[in-house]
Amino acid sequence: MSEEHKTSPYRRYSNDLEAGITDYNDEDDSDPFDILRTKSASVDRLKRWRQAALVLNASRRFRYTLDLKKEEEKKQGITKIRTHAQVIRAAYLFQAAAHKEPGKQVTAAPKLPITAVPSGDYGSKAEELASMTRDHDFSALQNYGGVNGLADTLKTSLDKGINGTEANILERKDVYGSNTYPRKKGRSFWSFLLDACRDTTLIILMVAAAASLILGIKTEGISEGWYDGGSIALAVIIVIFVTAFSDYKQSLQFQTLNEEKQNIHLEVTRGGRRVEISIFDIVVGDIIPLKIGDQVPADGVLVSGHSLAIDESSMTGESKIVQKDQKAPFLMSGCKVADGYGTMLVTSVGINTEWGLLMATISEDNGEETPLQVRLNGVATFIGIVGLTVAVAVLVVLLARYFTGHSKDDEGKQEFFPGKTKASDAVDGAIKIFTIAVTIVVVAVPEGLPLAVTLTLAYSMRKMMADKALVRRLSACETMGSATTICSDKTGTLTLNMMTVVDAYICGKKFDPSENQSVLPPKVASLLIEGIAQNTTGSVFLSKGGEVEVSGSPTEKAILQWGVNLGMAFDAVRSGASIIHAFPFNSEKKRGGVAVQLTDSDVHVHWKGAAEIVLACCTSYISVDEGLVPIEEDQRILFKKAIEDMAAGSLRCVALAYKKCDKANVPDNEELAHWQLPEDDLVLLAIVGLKDPCRPSVKVAVQLCIDAGVKVRMVTGDNLQTARAIALECGILQSDADATVPYIIEGKTFREYSEADRLMAAEKISVMGRSSPNDKLLLVQALRKNGHVVAVTGDGTNDAPALHEADIGLAMGIQGTEVAKESSDIIILDDNFASVVKVVRWGRSVYANIQKFIQFQLTVNVAALVINVVAAVSAGDVPLNAVQLLWVNLIMDTLGALALATEPPTDHLMKRSPVGRREPLITNIMWRNLLIQALYQVTVLLVLNFHGKSILNLEHKEKGHAEKLKNTLIFNAFVLLQLFNEFNARKPDEINVFKGVTKNRLFVGIVGLTLVLQVVIIMFLGKFTTTVRLSWKLWLVSIVIGFISWPLAAIGKLIPVPDKPLSEFFSRKSLRRRTSRGSAG
C-alpha cells in the first residue's frame, strides 16, 4: 500500500506538515467568555468559563453544555472496548505470524463445536456468529465452509442477497435481532422539575416563605396569616413548573434530532436489486456493497473486494489502515472504508456487535456549548454581579431604616419601636425585607439568558430540518450567521446531479450517443461495453417486466445507461470475465482502473477518468476500420479541442481507455495485491461529455449570498473550462471579464504558491478547477488566516480535513460519504445550494433573536432595579413586592424567551453584512433602544411612586387603600410596559414593529396569555399579590402608559448612532489612561 494510505485519509489533518497544515490558535486567552470555536476548545478553556460564571442553578445553566465528567467516562468506556479489540487483533496477528514460520507447529485454541441445533430454520446461533466475527475466528469460518458455506447456512445468495420479503426480514430479526441497541431513556419531566428546584434563590425564597407562613399563622391566625408566605410559595412553585415544562419541551426536540442523526441510509442487495434502507433495518444475511467513505453498518465477513482498506480507529484507537481480503475477511461495525470497494455478508447486528455494545454503554449526545452561549454567560455574570450588589444595598438600607424606626406601614404608622415591638413581628418584618432583596436577585441575575440560546437553537434546528438541513453541532447553527464565504462543490450542489451522456468522440470522430452499437465498429463496441460493465461500482438490474434499473453514483449511472443504450447485457459481460485487480477511483489522480481476466486468458486493463488526464496516458486510438492508429501531435490537439469544446458547453468530460496485457506480465497471487496497474501506452476508446444542468434555484441563491455580503467560491475537481461555464451560469462569475486569472485558477497552480502568495490569491479566487481535496484544505486555511469565517461543502472521504478545518463543515446528505458526514457540522439533506443559503438565514436569525431577547431582558432588569433601589433608599419601601417580581421574572425569562427566541428569519436579515464573531452582543442600536425605554419606564413609574396619590387624586381616600391602589397601578403599568416593549424588541432597527407578527403565532399567543393572566391577577388574585382591583379608568391609564412606548421607540430609531461599538470606545479610553499612567511612572 502507498505511504499516503497508511493512516486514515480523514485523520491526517491533525498534524500534516506535508499538506501544509499548521495548527494556529485564534483564541484570546484573556477573557474566559471569549471562545470563538468551541469545537476545538481545550478542556481547560471550557473549565475556565464555567468557573468564572455567576450561577444560581448550575444543573439547569450547564444542562446543554458539554458534561466534562460524562465525557471523561465516555472516553474510558471507549478505551475498554478498544483494548478488547486490540487484544483480539494482537492474538490474530500472533497466530498468523506463527503459521508463517517454517517448521513451527501451533496448536490453535480449542473452539466450541458448531452446534447442530438450528436457530429458527437457520443452522447457526447469533452467539456463535457474534463470537466468530468478534474474535476474528478464521477456523470457525472454515468450519462453516468459508463464506459460501456461511451464506448457505444463513439462507442468502452472495449475488442476489436475501429475498427481502417482509416475512423473511421479520423472521431474521426474531432469530438474530435487529440492528439497534438499547438507548438510554430520555429524561422525564420530573427530573427537569428537580433541576428547576435547585435554583439557590428559589430555595431561599421557599425557606423565607415557610418562615413567613409560620409567623403569619401564629400572629394572625390561619384564615388571614397564611397569605404572605403562601403567596410567595405559590409564586415560586408556578415559576418552577413553568421553567421545568419549557426545559422538558426543549429536551424532546433535541432527542428527536439526535435520533435523526443516527439514521444512516445505505444500499443493500435484496432479491438481486440494490435498494436503499435505513441502517436500523439491516438483518443478518444481508449483502451490502461497500465503497470508500462508507461506514461498516454491522459485523460481517468480506464476500469480495478490491484494494479494500478499513480504518478501524473508531474501535482500536489506532489510525493505521487494515487491508481486508480473503485471508483477513472480518469486518467490524462502526469502522470506515478508507479505500477500495467490495461487498460484505452481515453476520451480527445491533447489541451482538462490539459497536452496539459500545453505543449502548455510552450516552450518544453529551451536550455542547456554543460560542454565543459562552458569551451570554459572561453577560449574565456581569449583570448578575451588578444585581447582587444592588440587592445587598437594598437589604442593608431597608433593614437599617426598619430597625431605626424609619419604616412605615400602609397606614403611615411606624413599624418598629425599639424595645416595644414583639420579636415575632420584628422577625416577620425582617423576613419580608430579606424576601424582597432575594427576589431582586432572582430578577437581576438573568439565569434564562444563556438558556435562550438553547431555546432558539432547538427551535431553529427543528425548522431547519424542514428546510433540508440536519444540524450535527449546535455551534454551527449560530456560526453560519457569521459566514463571510462559502466554498461550494459544483456537482450535485450547484447542479442537479442528474447526468446524461450527450456528446461522444469515438474512433477520432464525433458520434451521437443516442445511437446504438450498430453504428460503431464491433471491436470498439465490444471493448467499450467491456470497460463500462467491468470498471464500475454501479450495477444494472433487469426487472421481470423488462425495465432497466441503474444504480450507482450519478457519473456511473450516466455511463452505465449509455452502455445499456449501446446494447450492453450487464450481467452477461460481468460473468464472462473476472476482475483480478482494481485501482479504485482516486480524487487525487482523477481516474480509476481494473484488470480483467478474460476466458481466453487475455488480461485487459480498463481505465476511466478525467478526459485530459486519461488522454495524456494514451498513445493510440482505434479507427473506424478497427486499426490501431498512433496519436500524433495534430490528432492530440484535435482531441484536446474536443474536450475544451465540451467543457465550454458546461459538460463533464470523461475518457475511457484500455490496454492489453501479456499474461506473463501479470504478477501471481501474492504480489497481485501490490500490482500497479499499467497506465502508459493506453488505447483511447472514447471521450464522452456528460451534461449536468444547473439547479433552477441556484442563481437566485448565489445572488442572495452576494447581497448578504457572503462570497460564493466554487471548488471542483472538474475541468477548469467546465467549472468556468457553470460558474457563469450560476452567477458566481458575473461576466466574462471575471472569468480570467486570478479569479479562476487550477488547484495545481494554487498548491505550488508560497504561503504568502496563497494568502493573497485566496481573496480573489472565485473558481478553482481540477482541485484535489488538499487544495480545498489549503484554500480554507488561507481564507481563515485572512480573517474569514468559512463554510465548506463536501461529499467525499478526502473532503473530511477541509470540512473539519472550516468554521462550518456542510456535508451532502445524498452523495456524501459517512466519513464526510461525521466530519461535518451540518448535513444538507437534499444536496442543494439553496438549502445552504437557508442555513445562513437561520444562523443570522439565531443571533438576531438572541439580541432581541437581550434588549428586552436588560430593559426589564434596568427598570426593575432602578425603581426598587430609588424607592428603597428614599422612601424605605419598594413598590414591587416579591410575588410581583416573580411574575415579572416569569414574563421576562421563560415567556419572553419563548416569544422572542422563536421569531422566524426574514429577508431583511439577508440584506445585512455577516455578523462579526467579535462584534459586541449589545450593539449601539440596542443600547439606544434599551436606554430610551428604560429611562421612560423608570421616569413614569418613579413619578407614579412619589406623586401617584396626588396625580390620581387619592389623598382623600383611606391611606392604606390609596397606597395599595398606587402600587397596584405601578405593578400593572410595569407589566403592560413589558408587553408593549416586547413588540419593540421584535424589530430593533425597523420602524414597523408589527411586520410579520401574525406569522409568529407563538409570539401572539404568549403576549395574549400574559395579558389575560395579568387581568386575572389584578382582578381576582389580590390577596396573593397584595394588589387591589383597578377601575376601567386606571386600566386605561396603564394601557396608555404602555402604548406611549411604541411611538417613543419609533422616534428613538431616528436618532443616529456611531458605528464604533461603545465597548470599544471605553476600552480604548481605559487603555489610554493606563498608558499615560505608565509613561508618567
Side-chain angles (χ1 to χ4, degrees):
M1 193 176 201
S2 63
E3 192 66 31
E4 65 173 324
H5 291 120
K6 283 189 180 174
T7 58
S8 172
Y10 60 94
R11 291 170 68 91
R12 292 202 297 262
Y13 55 77
S14 57
N15 188 17
D16 193 347
L17 296 174
E18 198 176 314
I21 303 168
T22 50
D23 291 331
Y24 51 91
N25 186 11
D26 52 9
E27 303 283 342
D28 177 16
D29 283 340
S30 59
D31 183 0
F33 298 107
D34 187 18
I35 302 178
L36 290 187
R37 276 168 54 106
T38 51
K39 77 174 180 181
S40 57
S42 65
V43 173
D44 287 340
R45 202 119 163 90
L46 298 178
K47 280 181 180 173
R48 270 184 65 203
W49 80 258
R50 286 165 170 75
Q51 290 163 355
L54 174 67
V55 181
L56 299 178
N57 187 349
S59 62
R60 183 166 181 252
R61 178 80 73 89
F62 298 135
R63 180 183 300 131
Y64 294 110
T65 60
L66 183 68
D67 190 322
L68 300 177
K69 188 180 176 184
K70 278 188 181 175
E71 187 67 10
E72 189 57 41
E73 288 172 4
K74 179 178 171 181
K75 284 177 183 173
Q76 288 172 2
I78 291 171
T79 304
K80 284 178 187 175
I81 300 280
R82 283 176 172 172
T83 304
H84 184 247
Q86 284 173 330
V87 168
I88 291 166
R89 192 173 163 203
Y92 169 74
L93 291 171
F94 173 75
Q95 282 190 0
H99 278 298
K100 283 182 181 178
E101 286 186 36
K104 183 162 183 180
Q105 294 293 318
V106 177
T107 306
K111 301 292 175 188
L112 289 169
I114 299 299
T115 178
V117 180
S119 299
D121 288 333
Y122 302 93
S124 63
K125 286 186 176 179
E127 297 83 3
E128 292 166 359
L129 293 172
S131 174
M132 178 184 72
T133 48
R134 188 170 57 240
D135 299 341
H136 288 41
D137 190 345
F138 197 74
S139 60
L141 180 60
Q142 296 299 350
N143 287 346
Y144 281 110
V147 178
N148 287 305
L150 183 59
D152 291 339
T153 303
L154 295 175
K155 296 187 177 179
T156 187
S157 162
L158 294 179
D159 295 323
K160 297 185 176 180
I162 63 173
N163 62 35
T165 62
E166 197 172 328
N168 183 243
I169 290 167
L170 284 172
E171 184 186 8
R172 289 174 185 273
K173 284 184 178 180
D174 286 341
V175 174
Y176 294 111
S178 60
N179 200 30
T180 55
Y181 49 85
R183 293 195 189 151
K184 293 184 178 177
K185 286 184 179 178
R187 294 178 64 192
S188 67
F189 170 75
W190 304 110
S191 67
F192 286 100
L193 197 68
L194 188 64
D195 275 356
C197 292
R198 287 174 178 156
D199 191 305
T200 311
T201 47
L202 293 183
I203 292 168
I204 294 169
L205 280 176
M206 285 300 275
V207 171
S212 179
L213 194 65
I214 293 163
L215 286 168
I217 292 169
K218 190 178 177 183
T219 53
E220 298 177 46
I222 196 162
S223 59
E224 291 294 323
W226 70 276
Y227 281 114
D228 284 349
S231 57
I232 294 170
L234 188 63
V236 169
I237 289 166
I238 290 169
V239 168
I240 286 170
F241 266 88
V242 172
T243 302
F245 183 74
S246 172
D247 292 349
Y248 177 61
K249 291 291 284 180
Q250 274 184 59
S251 79
L252 292 179
Q253 288 183 353
F254 283 121
Q255 207 172 307
T256 306
L257 289 164
N258 283 329
E259 285 170 8
E260 195 62 41
K261 284 183 207 173
Q262 296 162 352
N263 190 11
I264 297 167
H265 285 263
L266 72 165
E267 284 188 335
V268 300
T269 304
R270 286 180 179 173
R273 74 170 69 180
R274 286 192 188 180
V275 291
E276 188 178 281
I277 63 168
S278 164
I279 192 171
F280 304 130
D281 294 330
I282 288 171
V283 293
V284 169
D286 264 327
I287 300 294
I288 300 176
L290 297 172
K291 61 183 184 300
I292 186 168
D294 284 350
Q295 176 177 308
V296 180
D299 281 3
V301 292
L302 182 67
V303 175
S304 64
H306 299 286
S307 307
L308 189 66
I310 303 291
D311 182 344
E312 295 184 347
S313 58
S314 58
M315 294 303 299
T316 64
E318 297 176 11
S319 59
K320 191 175 179 182
I321 299 299
V322 181
Q323 290 287 342
K324 294 294 176 181
D325 50 33
Q326 299 307 324
K327 293 178 182 176
F330 296 105
L331 298 164
M332 286 194 289
S333 177
C335 299
K336 307 291 186 302
V337 180
D339 200 9
Y341 58 89
T343 54
M344 70 174 282
L345 167 63
V346 175
T347 57
S348 295
V349 292
I351 202 70
N352 292 323
T353 67
E354 292 275 358
W355 184 253
L357 285 170
L358 176 66
M359 298 311 288
T361 54
I362 62 174
S363 176
E364 180 66 27
D365 183 54
N366 202 13
E368 170 220 350
E369 48 259 70
T370 72
L372 194 53
Q373 200 175 4
V374 176
R375 287 178 74 189
L376 281 173
N377 269 286
V379 172
T381 297
F382 173 73
I383 298 168
I385 289 167
V386 172
L388 207 57
T389 309
V390 167
V392 170
V394 168
L395 180 66
V396 170
V397 169
L398 289 181
L399 285 175
R401 288 182 68 95
Y402 180 77
F403 286 111
T404 53
H406 289 83
S407 292
K408 294 178 182 178
D409 60 17
D410 293 342
E411 305 293 329
K413 296 174 185 175
Q414 187 175 325
E415 285 189 301
F416 182 82
F417 295 92
K420 295 179 181 178
T421 304
K422 290 180 184 178
S424 59
D425 290 343
V427 171
D428 193 31
I431 286 172
K432 283 179 182 174
I433 292 167
F434 181 71
T435 303
I436 289 165
V438 173
T439 312
I440 288 172
V441 175
V442 173
V443 176
V445 179
E447 199 72 358
L449 194 54
L451 293 170
V453 181
T454 319
L455 180 67
T456 190
L457 286 173
Y459 168 78
S460 301
M461 283 167 71
R462 184 165 55 85
K463 292 290 185 182
M464 282 165 76
M465 274 292 287
D467 281 343
K468 303 299 179 187
L470 172 63
V471 179
R472 294 187 74 252
R473 289 184 65 86
L474 278 176
S475 56
C477 206
E478 63 187 47
T479 308
M480 202 66 187
S482 302
T484 57
T485 185
I486 300 171
C487 298
S488 174
D489 287 336
K490 175 185 76 69
T491 307
T493 309
L494 298 169
T495 62
L496 284 168
N497 217 3
M498 292 169 64
M499 297 191 190
T500 48
V501 176
V502 295
D503 213 345
Y505 271 81
I506 306 169
C507 303
K509 294 166 67 178
K510 190 168 183 176
F511 271 77
D512 184 353
S514 62
E515 294 184 13
N516 61 30
Q517 68 181 42
S518 62
V519 299
L520 296 175
K523 182 182 176 182
V524 176
S526 173
L527 286 168
L528 262 177
I529 286 170
E530 181 183 286
I532 291 169
Q534 300 289 1
N535 189 15
T536 183
T537 54
S539 70
V540 178
F541 175 76
L542 192 64
S543 68
K544 289 177 181 177
E547 291 181 10
V548 174
E549 293 178 17
V550 182
S551 62
S553 71
T555 306
E556 295 281 10
K557 282 165 74 173
I559 294 172
L560 283 170
Q561 186 61 57
W562 180 52
V564 170
N565 296 347
L566 289 174
M568 175 182 71
F570 184 78
D571 289 337
V573 177
R574 295 278 286 192
S575 58
S578 59
I579 298 170
I580 56 173
H581 190 56
F583 178 86
F585 181 84
N586 187 302
S587 55
E588 296 284 344
K589 291 197 170 184
K590 308 285 183 198
R591 61 186 181 273
V594 293
V596 181
Q597 173 81 60
L598 304 177
T599 50
D600 58 3
S601 296
D602 281 346
V603 173
H604 286 177
V605 175
H606 285 276
W607 285 95
K608 178 176 69 186
E612 69 269 31
I613 292 172
V614 172
L615 177 63
C617 301
C618 294
T619 54
S620 58
Y621 69 98
I622 301 172
S623 65
V624 177
D625 57 8
E626 300 190 349
L628 210 59
V629 182
I631 299 177
E632 303 295 347
E633 192 57 36
D634 57 340
Q635 187 62 46
R636 193 173 293 277
I637 290 168
L638 282 173
F639 281 133
K640 284 183 177 177
K641 177 74 168 59
I643 292 168
E644 284 172 12
D645 289 345
M646 287 184 191
S650 69
L651 302 185
R652 169 176 278 191
C653 304
V654 176
L656 294 97
Y658 99 110
K659 181 174 185 173
K660 189 174 181 179
C661 282
D662 191 345
K663 179 68 175 163
N665 295 330
V666 178
D668 295 331
N669 291 339
E670 288 294 323
E671 297 172 6
L672 190 61
H674 305 285
W675 182 36
Q676 292 287 334
L677 290 181
E679 50 188 4
D680 55 347
D681 295 331
L682 302 182
V683 178
L684 182 67
L685 295 175
I687 297 170
V688 293
L690 285 75
K691 180 70 177 174
D692 186 13
C694 274
R695 289 182 180 273
S697 58
V698 76
K699 192 160 189 174
V700 175
V702 169
Q703 191 56 50
L704 267 173
C705 285
I706 293 166
D707 294 343
V710 181
K711 184 174 176 65
V712 181
R713 304 166 201 266
M714 182 198 290
V715 185
T716 177
D718 264 356
N719 182 302
L720 191 60
Q721 295 308 313
T722 307
R724 177 184 178 276
I726 293 287
L728 282 165
E729 202 177 329
C730 292
I732 292 171
L733 296 173
Q734 299 289 310
S735 64
D736 287 328
D738 294 337
T740 54
V741 177
Y743 305 109
I744 66 171
I745 193 171
E746 275 204 346
K748 186 182 176 186
T749 309
F750 183 71
R751 196 186 315 150
E752 289 169 352
Y753 284 158
S754 67
E755 188 173 348
D757 289 341
R758 271 203 300 269
L759 292 178
M760 287 175 64
E763 285 296 320
K764 296 176 181 176
I765 291 171
S766 292
V767 176
M768 186 187 284
R770 281 286 174 249
S771 69
S772 69
N774 192 51
D775 299 331
K776 187 189 275 190
L777 177 62
L778 290 171
L779 177 62
V780 170
Q781 288 176 329
L783 289 168
R784 286 195 67 228
K785 284 179 183 177
N786 284 343
H788 285 281
V789 178
V790 186
V792 169
T793 71
D795 53 15
T797 302
N798 291 328
D799 284 331
L803 289 168
H804 185 276
E805 178 70 20
D807 296 286
I808 314 104
L810 303 155
M812 298 298 109
I814 299 169
Q815 290 301 316
T817 62
E818 284 310 311
V819 170
K821 289 174 188 175
E822 278 202 5
S823 299
S824 71
D825 304 302
I826 296 172
I827 298 171
I828 304 300
L829 298 173
D830 62 353
D831 291 14
N832 191 343
F833 185 78
S835 298
V836 175
V837 180
K838 286 175 185 173
V839 173
V840 175
R841 272 166 61 99
W842 277 109
R844 293 188 176 193
S845 176
V846 166
Y847 201 87
N849 286 351
I850 293 303
Q851 287 187 313
K852 292 170 189 175
F853 182 58
I854 290 172
Q855 181 182 307
F856 173 70
Q857 190 166 48
L858 289 190
T859 307
V860 185
N861 277 16
V862 170
L865 287 176
V866 172
I867 291 160
N868 273 356
V869 169
V870 172
V873 171
S874 57
D877 195 12
V878 288
L880 300 171
N881 63 37
V883 177
Q884 292 167 1
L885 282 173
L886 283 171
W887 170 230
V888 168
N889 184 63
L890 199 61
I891 297 171
M892 179 180 71
D893 249 17
T894 309
L895 298 177
L898 269 172
L900 292 169
T902 55
E903 279 279 319
T906 60
D907 292 336
H908 179 70
L909 292 170
M910 295 301 283
K911 290 171 185 167
R912 301 177 183 173
S913 298
V915 180
R917 289 197 294 186
R918 291 199 186 276
E919 199 173 288
L921 274 173
I922 309 172
T923 64
N924 289 357
I925 288 172
M926 290 167 66
W927 277 120
R928 177 196 64 198
N929 299 345
L930 189 156
L931 291 172
I932 288 170
Q933 291 297 325
L935 194 64
Y936 168 64
Q937 289 184 20
V938 167
T939 304
V940 169
L941 297 177
L942 284 180
V943 166
L944 281 175
N945 189 57
F946 293 112
H947 305 288
K949 289 179 186 175
S950 57
I951 293 169
L952 299 170
N953 200 21
L954 299 175
E955 282 98 338
H956 62 281
K957 291 199 175 183
E958 189 257 322
K959 201 167 186 181
H961 180 72
E963 188 68 27
K964 272 190 177 180
L965 199 61
K966 179 201 75 174
N967 285 346
T968 301
L969 180 64
I970 291 171
F971 168 56
N972 199 41
F974 185 64
V975 169
L976 291 182
L977 275 166
Q978 308 325 316
L979 287 183
F980 280 90
N981 192 39
E982 214 157 347
F983 284 88
N984 292 329
R986 285 187 70 245
K987 306 282 181 185
D989 54 350
E990 291 181 60
I991 301 288
N992 184 4
V993 295
F994 306 106
K995 189 178 176 183
V997 72
T998 53
K999 290 179 183 176
N1000 190 352
R1001 291 177 184 173
L1002 190 61
F1003 179 89
V1004 175
I1006 285 170
V1007 170
L1009 177 68
T1010 309
L1011 183 60
V1012 168
L1013 289 174
Q1014 181 65 14
V1015 172
V1016 170
I1017 286 168
I1018 297 296
M1019 303 307 286
F1020 305 106
L1021 300 176
K1023 278 275 189 183
F1024 290 99
T1025 52
T1026 323
T1027 55
V1028 292
R1029 287 190 179 190
L1030 295 178
S1031 65
W1032 68 268
K1033 289 179 182 176
L1034 291 181
W1035 267 105
L1036 196 61
V1037 169
S1038 303
I1039 291 166
V1040 168
I1041 289 169
F1043 180 83
I1044 290 169
S1045 69
W1046 282 350
L1048 191 68
I1051 294 164
K1053 284 168 188 173
L1054 300 174
I1055 301 169
V1057 291
D1059 292 330
K1060 188 189 289 183
L1062 285 174
S1063 55
E1064 199 177 309
F1065 173 77
F1066 287 121
S1067 62
R1068 284 190 181 180
K1069 207 168 183 181
S1070 62
L1071 187 66
R1072 279 198 211 102
R1073 278 194 198 132
R1074 284 202 299 271
T1075 310
S1076 60
R1077 278 181 202 151
S1079 56

